[in-house]
Amino acid sequence: TTFGTEVLFKNATIADPALIYDTTNDKVVVICKDQGNNNRGTARVGTVAGLGITFTGPDGVFTSGASGYYAATFDSDNSRVVIAYQDTANNSYGTAIVGTVTGVGITFGDEVVFNSGTTWHPSTAYVGSSKVVVAYRDSSNNNYGTARVGTIDTSDNSIGFDGPEVLFASGNSASYISVVYDTTSDRVVISYQDNDS
């Protein structure tokens, strides 16, 4: 494997980075906690050329206060970035937001709560038909592993969570969660650390 030169994408101390590829615009989106801006969630759009990458656009700040533990997925049908995270400034609720890449910048809709409880280690997967699965640890419910389906609305760049929360680890506590969509069998697969075993 050959690598190019390291490139600074944020001139500040950051934490909890996440990364997705926008297949429509051929861009990379880096998401992080900007500790130089009161721990707000921030995204930067990168352009890859050869073994190099550039970040020439502005910061896309998507939280009004502190946040962390980001997970991101890309809706390839509607060309949307979906980010799930812990909204530290709002009781550490699980929150999601939809973004649209335009050129070298990104704009966002409104923040939407998907879990009104302390939420850790979210992971996301786009499953088609404007649907996103979010899996997370619900510390307000015995640290159970929980999942919920969100529906993207492109008319206002929003996401709605109308269905119920579903437990995938009801007898134990789950952390370090990862979710992926198997397009062949049309199934979601979730891996996690089982803290009781």
Side-chain angles (χ1 to χ4, degrees), residues 28 82 120 162:
V28 173
V82 181
W120 297 90
D162 300 322

Side-chain angles (χ1 to χ4, degrees), residues 26-27 99 109 152-153:
D26 192 24
K27 301 292 184 183
I152 298 164
D153 185 346

Side-chain angles (χ1 to χ4, degrees), residues 149-162:
V149 177
T151 304
I152 298 164
D153 185 346
T154 57
S155 66
D156 59 358
N157 231 28
S158 68
I159 187 168
F161 294 87
D162 300 322

